[in-house]
Amino acid sequence: MTRPAPTVFLYGAGRVARAVAALATERGVRVAGAWSRGRPGADGGIPGVVLTTGPEPPAEAADVWLLAVADDGVEDVAARLA
């Protein structure tokens, strides 16, 4: 029996999130979406991934949730998700 590919949701839309999304997609992991506190930068966010923006991170269904925010934002985002 083959396991279904896992899904990941990214909290963050910067360089790390883009790299993780690209690698995950390459490896057959579905990226369910991403969230950013503000608008994506000049680079436009994560190609092929639905981006939600706003002050509160959404509780999204996924097998894995990854915090890919700046170091000084980890505590805040984690507390909002708890």
Side-chain angles (χ1 to χ4, degrees), residues 10-81:
L10 302 167
Y11 291 97
R15 289 183 303 233
V16 170
R18 286 192 309 275
V20 168
L23 185 59
T25 302
E26 183 181 295
R27 299 286 196 276
V29 175
R30 188 175 77 82
V31 179
W35 168 81
S36 176
R37 287 179 277 193
R39 319 180 293 142
D43 49 20
I46 304 170
V49 175
V50 175
L51 179 66
T52 302
T53 59
E56 293 297 323
E60 294 289 335
D63 297 306
V64 176
W65 299 272
L66 180 72
L67 292 182
V69 298
D71 290 349
D72 63 354
V74 170
E75 185 176 358
D76 178 58
V77 173
R80 291 171 184 266
L81 289 169

